[in-house]
Amino acid sequence: MGPVLYASAGSLMSYWVGGSLISRNADRYAREADLRFSLVRINEHLDGIALAGGEEDERRRVEMHLGNVLAATRRLVSGLTNLTWVTAGFGWVTTVAPILVAAPLISRARSPSAVS
């Protein structure tokens, strides 16, 4: 029963922590698409932008879209980092828990009072 509870707890925590990764990834893709669209639009209307003196406006728009991409990427990386901590932590529990359980038994068996 213990291994089933352990696996269930690990799965639930991974789902809870990693559940937002789907929406964060979709948001990053959407922000990247906005940036690509902005860059293609500038490329297609380069002559008109230059004639109208709109370089500064376009630069601000591209910087805004790039900032949105970077913010979305930071949110995604943060979520992935949290999920990594949970999964790595559960991996370490399988290594450390048996040692913690066995250590008192071993020390008790090696104590002088146990020998006599």
Side-chain angles (χ1 to χ4, degrees):
M1 186 68 167
V4 172
L5 289 175
Y6 175 77
S8 298
S11 296
L12 286 173
M13 282 189 67
S14 295
Y15 177 78
W16 178 64
V17 171
S20 67
L21 290 177
I22 296 168
S23 61
R24 289 180 188 197
N25 218 2
D27 182 50
R28 182 185 57 124
Y29 286 139
R31 300 297 74 82
E32 287 176 355
D34 292 341
L35 176 62
R36 282 191 306 274
F37 178 79
S38 180
L39 293 172
V40 169
R41 185 182 154 293
I42 290 170
N43 189 41
E44 290 175 349
H45 298 95
L46 198 55
D47 294 335
I49 293 168
L51 286 173
E55 294 93 348
E56 190 61 32
D57 291 336
E58 295 302 323
R59 184 181 64 78
R60 277 195 299 271
R61 185 173 290 120
V62 168
E63 286 176 351
M64 179 192 67
H65 288 302
L66 182 59
N68 291 342
V69 168
L70 293 174
T73 302
R74 273 188 229 104
R75 286 190 298 272
L76 179 61
V77 167
S78 172
L80 287 169
T81 302
N82 292 339
L83 182 60
T84 300
W85 277 107
V86 168
T87 56
F90 264 82
W92 274 101
V93 167
T94 59
T95 304
V96 174
I99 295 169
L100 294 176
V101 169
L105 299 174
I106 292 170
S107 68
R108 225 179 288 136
R110 292 187 179 173
S111 70
S113 63
V115 176
S116 51

